């Protein structure tokens, strides 16, 4: 069984560490503003984290945020429509609009990486991953079809 371990940069690891240990906001010039995203920075960070299928992760972010215009993204910095988890380590600060709230979109991406590592990393092919996402990630029966169109 292969386990996905995100290849986080030293800066990202430090941000994660500070947030997890101290629960404080970390100010840094590269952290996002609420409801604002530089797509190139997101794309770079996804590839830097070494997801097995980065194009799927980017497509999910586009789809789940309505191309970065949804209220959940703008208010919660939530790229993936994630809910505040009850049983796993998270960077979510709580819940608003029935979705997880993050200090910035980078924390949302890191939290998605933690979710991915725990639940989705065992899938070896895109088709296996798509099947899993269809079963657990969305109630829309056309989720994967739409996701593939976003790529």
């Amino acid at each position: 069984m292969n386990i996905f371990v995100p290849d986080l940069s030293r800066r990202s690891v430090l941000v994660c560490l500070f947030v997890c240990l101290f629960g404080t906001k970390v100010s840094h010039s590269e952290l996002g503003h609420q409801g604002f995203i530089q797509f190139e920075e997101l794309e770079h960070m996804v590839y830097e984290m070494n997801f097995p299928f980065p194009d799927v992760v980017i497509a999910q972010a586009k789809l789940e945020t309505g191309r970065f215009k949804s209220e959940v993204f703008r208010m919660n910095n939530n790229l993936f429509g994630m809910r505040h988890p009850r049983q796993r380590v998270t960077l979510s600060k709580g819940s608003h609009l029935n979705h997880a709230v993050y200090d910035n979109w980078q924390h949302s991406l890191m939290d998605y990486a933690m979710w991915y590592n725990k639940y989705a990393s065992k899938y070896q092919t895109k088709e296996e991953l798509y099947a899993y996402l269809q079963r657990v990630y969305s109630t829309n029966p056309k989720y994967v079809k739409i996701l593939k169109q976003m790529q």
Side-chain angles (χ1 to χ4, degrees), residues 45-148:
M45 196 167 170
V46 167
Y47 280 93
E48 195 175 78
M49 291 172 76
N50 203 28
F51 280 95
F53 307 106
D55 54 326
V56 175
V57 175
I58 293 166
Q60 272 193 286
K62 287 180 192 175
L63 177 58
E64 294 292 340
T65 62
R67 296 195 183 269
F68 312 104
K69 294 178 181 164
S70 73
E71 186 175 14
V72 169
F73 171 66
R74 289 184 291 110
M75 299 296 292
N76 298 6
N77 291 307
N78 189 327
L79 287 169
F80 299 98
M82 301 284 282
R83 307 288 179 154
H84 181 75
R86 295 183 194 128
Q87 296 185 3
R88 69 170 178 81
V89 174
T90 185
L91 294 177
S92 171
K93 297 295 189 182
S95 185
H96 178 65
L97 303 173
N98 206 25
H99 288 81
V101 176
Y102 300 98
D103 284 337
N104 52 64
W105 66 261
Q106 290 90 340
H107 289 181
S108 175
L109 178 58
M110 288 180 223
D111 194 58
Y112 179 85
M114 290 186 282
W115 172 87
Y116 191 101
N117 189 47
K118 183 170 176 106
Y119 300 108
S121 62
K122 62 185 169 187
Y123 301 105
Q124 300 296 308
T125 68
K126 270 190 189 181
E127 290 308 314
E128 289 174 342
L129 178 61
Y130 285 140
Y132 176 72
L133 292 174
Q134 185 62 64
R135 278 193 321 273
V136 303
Y137 211 87
S138 176
T139 57
N140 183 342
K142 296 182 181 180
Y143 185 76
V144 169
K145 182 179 180 181
I146 297 166
L147 192 61
K148 288 178 179 180

